[in-house]
Amino acid sequence: MISKNIFRVTNLSQIYEGKEVLSIPELSINLGEKIALIGSSGAGKSTLLGILSGTIDTYKGDIYIQNLPMKVCVSQNKFHKKVGIIRQHFDLVGELSVINNVLAGLLGEWGFFKSLFSLFIPQEKKKALSALTRVGLNHKLYRKTSTLSGGEQQRVALARILVQNPEVILADEPVASLDPKRAEDILKLLVKLVDEENETLITSLHSVEYAKKYFTRIIALKDGEIFFDLKPREITEEILSSLYSFKEMG
Ligand SMILES: Nc1ncnc2c1ncn2[C@@H]1O[C@H](COP(=O)(O)OP(=O)(O)OP(=O)(O)O)[C@@H](O)[C@H]1O
Ligand SMILES: [Mg+2]
């Protein structure tokens, strides 16, 4: 039976230097949801995404990916097929051509030698070409990636995720380093691609406006805890101002 649930988290806790920076008793995320994580700087957004993406493994608690414990999923090499990650600084290799950066999305599936070989003769070129067409960059296949603009590089990162074809995409402030116009274009494109594939998206964002406009569920973190978990239309000015208010001293 295929579960609707993509992530199930219980009793999650992350401690840094003796301080609990994340504490989530329970959280379930279903397939097809588009989730924006919001909250002030230091609230725990990157920590949560880091844990879900397998980058941080010092947490306590249980995480299941489609009912499989995360650690089992990673050890059975299933993680890469299910979870795609977009990092703020794209993680592209500037010296390589656009197509080779896109094909890096398949590295988890390929053996080492096939991966290495692909640096010389792009394999599965069709897959990469179709992904690059979907992000509007098919004319720049063999361009050196470092010569592209920031927005174009972010689209290469999206194409790389497309060839990976994961069930869920995790992105930590994917548009933070772009100007507002480009940021909205990339976000729109990301959401469109996720919708087309009926994938799940979890992304941290600093813009509440974009969170409300493009996402189906907004989870706000405050001091490492879930402050609210609401649909965009349920969010009021009052709740936002208490989310971003400073903790009273004393
Ligand atoms: N490697 C680390 N070592 C020690 N403390 C850390 C580490 N990573 C994060 N923290 C602390 O954990 C808390 C949560 O940080 P996190 O990066 O998750 O916040 P955030 O919500 O992503 O903030 P921002 O909006 O600024 O990106 C902060 O107090 C931060 O200082
Ligand atoms: Mg962060």
Side-chain angles (χ1 to χ4, degrees):
M1 195 186 86
I2 296 170
S3 161
K4 266 186 70 199
N5 211 267
I6 178 86
F7 277 117
R8 191 158 53 82
V9 168
T10 52
N11 301 320
L12 183 65
S13 166
Q14 176 68 37
I15 292 176
Y16 282 129
E17 293 155 6
K19 187 176 174 274
E20 189 170 46
V21 300
L22 193 69
S23 169
I24 300 182
E26 195 149 11
L27 176 65
S28 272
I29 291 165
N30 288 329
L31 281 169
E33 284 194 297
K34 283 172 287 175
I35 296 181
L37 283 179
I38 63 169
S40 308
S41 182
K45 305 178 296 294
S46 296
T47 305
L48 177 58
L49 285 167
I51 292 170
L52 296 179
S53 65
T55 322
I56 299 172
D57 63 0
T58 49
Y59 64 89
K60 287 208 173 70
D62 296 309
I63 301 174
Y64 297 89
I65 301 178
Q66 291 184 326
N67 293 332
L68 202 63
M70 174 129 150
K71 283 175 184 143
V72 175
C73 191
V74 172
S75 70
Q76 293 180 354
N77 234 346
K78 290 181 180 160
F79 189 72
H80 187 81
K81 285 206 178 83
K82 292 186 189 290
V83 182
I85 302 159
I86 301 177
R87 293 181 207 280
Q88 188 176 339
H89 297 292
F90 319 152
D91 258 355
L92 301 170
V93 183
E95 285 304 303
L96 290 183
S97 64
V98 165
I99 187 167
N100 275 324
N101 268 299
V102 172
L103 289 167
L106 294 168
L107 288 186
E109 279 177 39
W110 291 357
F112 176 74
F113 287 105
K114 188 172 175 191
S115 307
L116 196 66
F117 190 57
S118 83
L119 294 176
F120 305 101
I121 304 168
Q123 308 233 338
E124 315 219 8
K125 192 179 149 190
K126 256 194 187 155
K127 249 189 196 171
L129 183 59
S130 116
L132 283 164
T133 305
R134 287 174 67 191
V135 301
L137 275 182
N138 44 321
H139 54 298
K140 296 202 170 157
L141 221 56
Y142 294 108
R143 273 279 290 276
K144 192 165 142 182
T145 307
S146 59
T147 66
L148 302 180
S149 74
E152 286 171 334
Q153 291 195 26
Q154 191 57 310
R155 281 193 274 155
V156 176
L158 294 188
R160 182 179 52 186
I161 286 279
L162 282 177
V163 302
Q164 187 189 337
N165 194 24
E167 306 246 9
V168 55
I169 295 175
L170 305 177
D172 194 1
E173 292 184 43
V175 295
S177 52
L178 303 175
D179 65 65
K181 167 78 175 71
R182 281 226 184 97
E184 184 161 12
D185 284 349
I186 291 288
L187 203 59
K188 238 195 251 174
L189 180 61
L190 175 60
V191 167
K192 179 173 164 269
L193 297 171
V194 163
D195 278 342
E196 284 169 3
E197 302 290 329
N198 199 24
E199 286 166 347
T200 311
L201 176 65
I202 310 174
T203 176
S204 64
L205 271 186
H206 270 288
S207 163
V208 176
E209 183 198 333
Y210 292 163
K212 283 162 83 170
K213 196 163 164 188
Y214 294 109
F215 292 78
T216 57
R217 178 176 169 191
I218 302 182
I219 298 178
L221 291 178
K222 188 173 187 176
D223 301 324
E225 295 180 7
I226 294 181
F227 185 70
F228 66 72
D229 181 349
L230 296 170
K231 293 193 171 69
R233 61 179 156 76
E234 295 168 334
I235 289 171
T236 61
E237 282 306 316
E238 288 75 33
I239 203 163
L240 283 177
S241 65
S242 53
L243 171 66
Y244 291 107
S245 71
F246 290 104
K247 221 196 300 189
E248 282 181 41
M249 303 294 278

